[in-house]
Amino acid sequence: MGLILAARGDHEAAKQHYLAALHTNPAYTEAHNSLGVTLAAQGDAEGAVTQYREALRLDPDFGAAHNNLAATLAKLGQTDEAIVQYTEAIRLSPQHAEPHGNSAMLLQAAGRLPEAIEQLQAALQLNPRLVDVRYRLATAYAQTGRSREAETELGQVLRERPEWSAAEATLAWLLATADDEHLRDGARAVQLAGDAAQRTQQRDPNVLNSL
């Protein structure tokens, strides 16, 4: 019932349902985790963390709780612990793409690019249709000087989402600045950057910087 209420957007009713369940059975791990999700949706991140930690105290191998705790810690700016929690979620449920991708986002922001690339590749092996993850992989390749691989991934991104201006701008920058003379293509870079700028009505500074 709580999940149905939450899906309807009635988070307060879902919260009350989970609290009642926990009053009856304080060791109900799934209820602690679901209450955490509901509290996070209501903007109570600290309360959500408390519920996730209680779920993990009761069941340290509860992969979903590790993943949810990591996501909330990341929002609170506690990046290092969030990465640790995502690592646990991946260990427990390696077949799920989401924690791989989420962990990679934090690793990339922290400058831990080889680790980020490894997790992004793992996420795409599990689900090749994650276009956002493929775009992040392309940017990580570009950041590490792997320009050819970055171009390949950006090309795939634009085939799947041809009007994504950020991907067009990133590919334009890559083609304009590549050290590899066989990859550098000024004319195509200008065309891509112009298309991206027109699509965003020249209001996106990140796109304009690629011109």
Side-chain angles (χ1 to χ4, degrees), residues 87-162:
T87 301
E88 275 299 289
I90 290 166
R91 181 183 69 81
L92 293 164
S93 302
Q95 74 278 14
H96 293 157
E98 180 183 358
H100 288 285
N102 291 339
S103 175
M105 183 167 57
L106 297 182
L107 290 165
Q108 188 173 6
R112 296 164 59 176
L113 296 174
E115 294 169 87
I117 287 171
E118 181 180 352
Q119 294 304 325
L120 290 164
Q121 290 172 333
L124 287 170
Q125 282 185 330
L126 291 164
N127 186 351
R129 298 190 65 80
L130 293 173
V131 182
D132 291 351
V133 170
R134 191 174 298 281
Y135 175 71
R136 290 208 302 272
L137 178 59
T139 62
Y141 280 150
Q143 288 174 292
T144 52
R146 297 166 65 172
S147 300
R148 282 285 180 182
E149 290 160 290
E151 183 204 20
T152 298
E153 298 300 337
L154 286 168
Q156 180 64 29
V157 167
L158 288 170
R159 279 190 291 275
E160 295 186 37
R161 198 181 296 178

